[in-house]
Amino acid sequence: MSTSTLPEILTHVDAGVMTLTLNRLERKNSITAAMYGAMADALESANHDTAVRAVVIQGHETIFSAGNDIGDFLNNPPATPESPVFRFLRGISSFPKPLVAAVCGPAVGIGTTMLLHCDLVDTGDNAAFSLPFVNLGLCPEAASSFLVPQLMGYPRAAEALLLGEPFMAETALEMGLINRIVPPAEANALAQRQALKLAAKPLSALMETKRLMKKGNAGMVAERMAEEGASFGRMLQEPAAREAFTAFMQKRRPDFSKV
Ligand code: COA
């Protein structure tokens, strides 16, 4: 059964698994406010729909997501906690049922940070993760300023978040961000198999186990996400981000010498 009305986010429910597919290849699956809204709605519906027992988030075998749509962010910056991007982040970080991601190719910004809230992440060997917030004059989101140092230790978090250096699937596996690496053409199918395995288990036991595993971090994640969101929203309007975003649109290197 297909449930989405937005062509850039395909939503499909089958055999207890809801699959959310980022489908905006011509813009490298960058995510607009409307897409965040559709993903937030889909997660909310998956949460309440007793027929959904697990969710898969996937992209294309060449690209997971180029992160926020930069033009959309410039024109419609998320101004309040109810903005679609923040609704999506609250939805994914508190989603109570199992979440599986299939990631191939670049996963930029929120393309990587959303994975911190997935239970299993299966990737193609072409997966490339990056957290270029500083390079864009921004700060981290999705509680990644808390979860990334916790996951990989401060020195490597500093490389990822201060230098904004990309890292490949092998490194992500070693750091504990992802579960498995397969050829790109097999990643989505592997994620489906894992989700189907989860969907066959008793949902109440899965949900309680997930809740207990996440309990230690839950309060801090919510608190940090709100603090990051306030800073992120403010920084989007400041000269550094405007220069970075304008430079991207104009296909030139940003000049931060005056910010
Ligand atoms: N927002 C808006 N448009 C984007 C985009 C984004 N985040 N990422 C890519 N696009 C657009 C490009 O501008 C380009 O448009 P054009 O065809 O009109 O020139 C098109 O998508 C193809 O992108 P391109 O950069 O040519 O593809 P690539 O395969 O060479 O590189 C990426 C792919 C993802 C590595 C690269 O596009 C990239 O770094 N994007 C920006 C990522 C980013 O900074 N995201 C913000 C995080 S907050």
Side-chain angles (χ1 to χ4, degrees), residues 26-28 30 63 66-70 106 108-109 132 136 248 251:
E26 72 288 0
R27 289 273 161 222
K28 299 288 167 183
S30 55
I63 176 103
N68 296 304
D69 180 296
I70 288 178
V108 185
L136 294 166
F248 178 79
K251 299 190 188 296

Side-chain angles (χ1 to χ4, degrees), residues 62-83:
T62 59
I63 176 103
F64 182 62
S65 173
N68 296 304
D69 180 296
I70 288 178
D72 195 51
F73 246 42
L74 261 180
N75 297 327
N76 309 300
T80 73
E82 286 319 304
S83 298

